[in-house]
Amino acid sequence: AQSVTQPDIHITVSEGASLELRCNYSYGATPYLFWYVQSPGQGLQLLLKYFSGDTLVQGIKGFEAEFKRSQSSFNLRKPSVHWSDAAEYFCAVYNTNAGKSTFGDGTTLTVKP
Amino acid sequence: DGGITQSPKYLFRKEGQNVTLSCEQNLNHDAMYWYRQDPGQGLRLIYYSQIVNDFQKGDIAEGYSVSREKKESFPLTVTSAQKNPTAFYLCASSIGTGGSQPQHFGDGTRLSIL
């Protein structure tokens, strides 16, 4: 069965510092991978996605993620964090056979001034 | 603007009562999904529908029911059989069920027990 693990429940970084959020997945075939962001009391917004091609994908708000098949990872990065990036971040993998996605438990990002 | 509308934003349920959460989309998407979100547990899939008049159980369907009579609507009923319904409920849609299609989310309904 597919699964997604986000090892860090909560991360705190200073504004202007770099950020990396970890995501590991378990899936038998080539994965379709997504990162979403959720502000409190709101729905999820797509940051970026990977399904083929270049393993480094660019997303909105200055985020990028790198797909590493050998490590079963799809880590999210941002070179310089802004206070408005404080939110919860979810990694997801899509199961093409079942027609549905599995989400990680999320990582809450706090940004210190 | 196209999007997904969930209503109400807040809902309260009495013991033994069924309540229905509304989800409407004007994105012309074929697939729709219902998720439950609890603190620290991420999103868990309740039901999903890949096409009108068809839907499948997700990972935690017990105590819930859905219908998909129209392409743009996918209401979720939380029945009295769901003993712990307090949660944040999110509805989502996607163009199809192809893996490259991301999901678009509504702003959620927070359900609480009176």
Side-chain angles (χ1 to χ4, degrees), chain A residues 66-105:
Chain A
E66 186 171 13
F67 170 61
K68 293 186 177 180
R69 184 186 299 275
S70 61
Q71 298 178 21
S72 297
S73 69
F74 187 56
N75 294 348
L76 182 71
R77 301 194 295 245
K78 187 170 185 177
S80 178
V81 169
H82 188 261
W83 63 267
S84 60
D85 293 324
E88 190 159 17
Y89 292 81
F90 292 92
C91 181
V93 61
Y94 185 83
N95 184 325
T96 53
N97 291 332
K100 59 180 181 175
S101 295
T102 297
F103 287 79
D105 287 342

Side-chain angles (χ1 to χ4, degrees), chain B residues 14-57:
Chain B
K14 296 179 181 179
E15 294 288 342
Q17 185 181 45
N18 293 354
V19 292
T20 298
L21 284 61
S22 171
C23 178
E24 302 279 332
Q25 54 100 358
N26 60 4
L27 299 167
N28 200 32
H29 286 176
D30 285 318
M32 297 188 75
Y33 310 82
W34 273 106
Y35 294 94
R36 172 179 171 140
Q37 187 176 23
D38 295 280
Q41 294 193 40
L43 277 68
R44 293 184 290 169
L45 183 64
I46 304 172
Y47 270 96
Y48 62 111
S49 168
Q50 297 175 335
I51 198 168
V52 176
N53 293 322
D54 186 43
F55 49 84
Q56 291 80 38
K57 293 182 178 180

